[in-house]
Amino acid sequence: MGRGLKFARDDAMKIIQVSPRFPPNIGGVEHHVASISERMAGLGHEVTIFTLDKSKNTPDTSRENGVEIRRFSYSNLPKFIYAILQTPRDVLHVHNYHSPIPLLLSTLCRGTKRFFVTSHYHGVGSTTHTNILLSLYKPFGSWCLSRAKSVIAVSDWEKNLLSNEFKIQPTLIPNGIDPSPFQQPPFEHEGRPYILCVGRLEPYKGFQHVIRAMQFLPDHDLVIVGSGNYMPSLVDIATRAGVQNQVIFMNNLSISKLAQMYSGATAHVALSTHESYGLTIGESLLSGTPCLVRKSGALGDWAGHQGCLSTDETEPKILSNLIQECFSLTPSYTQPTTWDDVVKSLLDLYSNE
């Protein structure tokens, strides 16, 4: 971890990362925060994660891969904020504009000159209710972003969106990928060929559209890797479409097993409407698996890579034809931004007085 990066011990920093959720919770923001924090700790920095995902199954404080993790529940929000204010720090870095709690810290941490925000911003809420809340929150959110020393965007699409909507000049530091798990020999799948979807089980991810398209792909199964409250609805959609025997749900996969699932798939389909980057697409292309992604939003940026098609179509028959078109594509994605690259850029940003 952290290979190729050097940082003198005398320059070690006390870094606080604030994230609404953290592993074992699954998601792009959670993976991002864990990846940068562990590598920073590996370089000798003192890294503490503050998160609001305390449950009965998680300890209040733990240490994993050199990182201290402090978990609080939303009912203990004052204690959460007080603990951050009382913790010595050189850098305060908060994540996820769409969860307003971390950005509240910008109103309280006036003594922190090195205050950074990685917004993971995608512009809209996943439901009508969250869209309304997001609109009401925007004036305050804009003011919070203006207080940061730097607002970090993880994709060109997000950078442009932030610039247009908030009239700021974000710093672009793309998400990273650890290539090693995804550049193994192709996995020889012994069962029926399958199409892959990966992500949290929520309506905005678009898995329901792929399920309905499976009636026109009778020779393939659909493997959905993820967990979430939308699973019963997806099961019902598969039953009503008559493809329940073609749809397989999996979760809690190790990185090595997930890499096998990518490598063994005929195609990976990602039709999410709310993404700021799309890590699973890079992982899939590195595994040699072609992708079909949603054209609008940040996922559309991936369409410039060999082996990746884009569409905003969700009609089952048309979508099935596009998925079949992917089967003949050969991806070529050999030089991704790595997490070591991301950490180097962040540490340079932190140190730039």
Side-chain angles (χ1 to χ4, degrees):
M1 185 174 295
R3 283 194 300 252
L5 296 177
K6 301 293 182 183
F7 209 97
R9 298 272 321 170
D10 291 344
D11 292 329
M13 292 181 280
K14 298 181 189 301
I15 301 168
I16 291 178
Q17 303 280 353
V18 182
S19 177
R21 291 159 35 108
F22 193 73
N25 286 301
I26 297 171
V29 176
E30 294 87 334
H31 181 63
H32 176 109
V33 176
S35 296
I36 63 173
S37 298
E38 292 172 6
R39 285 165 173 78
M40 288 177 182
L43 294 172
H45 300 286
E46 184 178 323
V47 184
T48 306
I49 306 290
F50 283 83
T51 182
L52 281 164
D53 64 357
K54 179 73 181 75
S55 71
K56 63 180 180 180
N57 298 320
T58 55
D60 292 346
T61 303
S62 61
R63 180 168 289 275
E64 299 176 18
N65 298 320
V67 177
E68 182 178 353
I69 304 161
R70 301 186 63 183
R71 299 180 190 270
F72 298 78
S73 63
Y74 274 89
S75 62
N76 280 328
L77 181 59
K79 185 178 179 181
F80 169 79
I81 294 176
Y82 180 78
I84 293 174
L85 294 175
Q86 293 301 306
T87 302
R89 63 193 180 275
D90 298 307
V91 173
L92 176 64
H93 189 163
V94 304
H95 296 261
N96 197 355
Y97 174 93
H98 294 272
S99 179
I101 299 301
L103 290 185
L104 284 173
L105 295 169
S106 68
T107 68
L108 302 171
C109 297
R110 296 181 180 179
T112 303
K113 294 181 179 179
R114 288 186 281 188
F115 169 63
F116 300 88
V117 176
T118 298
S119 56
H120 307 277
Y121 183 64
H122 44 69
V124 294
S126 57
T127 66
T128 301
H129 176 67
T130 54
N131 248 335
I132 293 172
L133 292 178
L134 193 61
S135 177
L136 294 173
Y137 163 62
K138 192 170 184 178
F140 173 70
S142 179
W143 179 76
C144 291
L145 294 181
S146 72
R147 292 171 64 87
K149 183 172 182 181
S150 184
V151 177
I152 300 160
V154 299
S155 67
D156 285 317
W157 180 86
E158 185 193 7
K159 180 180 178 181
N160 292 333
L161 187 64
L162 288 167
S163 179
N164 292 333
E165 293 199 10
F166 297 100
K167 309 306 177 187
I168 59 176
Q169 296 300 318
T171 300
L172 175 63
I173 302 179
N175 270 330
I177 296 176
D178 178 5
S180 55
F182 307 104
Q183 293 181 319
Q184 304 300 322
F187 174 63
E188 297 296 332
H189 179 66
E190 297 180 356
R192 278 163 52 89
Y194 64 91
I195 296 153
L196 184 67
C197 289
V198 181
R200 190 177 296 123
L201 304 187
E202 300 284 354
Y204 74 87
K205 290 291 187 179
F207 299 152
Q208 64 273 28
H209 307 308
V210 189
I211 289 174
R212 294 187 181 105
M214 293 307 297
Q215 61 189 294
F216 302 105
L217 297 162
D219 296 330
H220 278 72
D221 288 333
L222 171 63
V223 175
I224 298 177
V225 178
S227 60
N229 295 333
Y230 195 48
M231 180 182 283
S233 296
L234 293 175
V235 172
D236 183 60
I237 290 167
T239 301
R240 286 188 279 114
V243 297
Q244 65 272 22
N245 293 330
Q246 292 175 254
V247 181
I248 302 165
F249 292 93
M250 306 177 72
N251 61 18
N252 297 324
L253 299 185
S254 65
I255 290 296
S256 60
K257 180 60 177 177
L258 179 59
Q260 286 186 342
M261 296 308 298
Y262 282 129
S263 179
T266 309
H268 173 205
V269 184
L271 301 179
S272 176
T273 55
H274 308 328
E275 301 293 337
S276 58
Y277 185 76
L279 277 171
T280 63
I281 309 306
E283 292 170 350
S284 185
L285 294 175
L286 275 172
S287 302
T289 299
C291 297
L292 176 65
V293 301
R294 183 172 288 276
K295 185 176 184 179
S296 56
L299 293 183
D301 285 354
W302 288 100
H305 292 276
Q306 183 177 323
C308 189
L309 297 180
S310 65
T311 183
D312 283 327
E313 184 60 64
T314 59
E315 195 279 325
K317 178 58 176 174
I318 298 175
L319 186 57
S320 71
N321 289 336
L322 289 167
I323 293 171
Q324 290 184 79
E325 190 176 339
C326 284
F327 294 168
S328 61
L329 299 181
T330 302
S332 177
Y333 183 53
T334 57
Q335 293 183 313
T337 299
T338 68
W339 287 114
D340 285 349
D341 297 329
V342 174
V343 167
K344 183 179 186 306
S345 296
L346 286 172
L347 293 178
D348 287 345
L349 195 64
Y350 292 168
S351 302
N352 184 19
E353 295 289 349

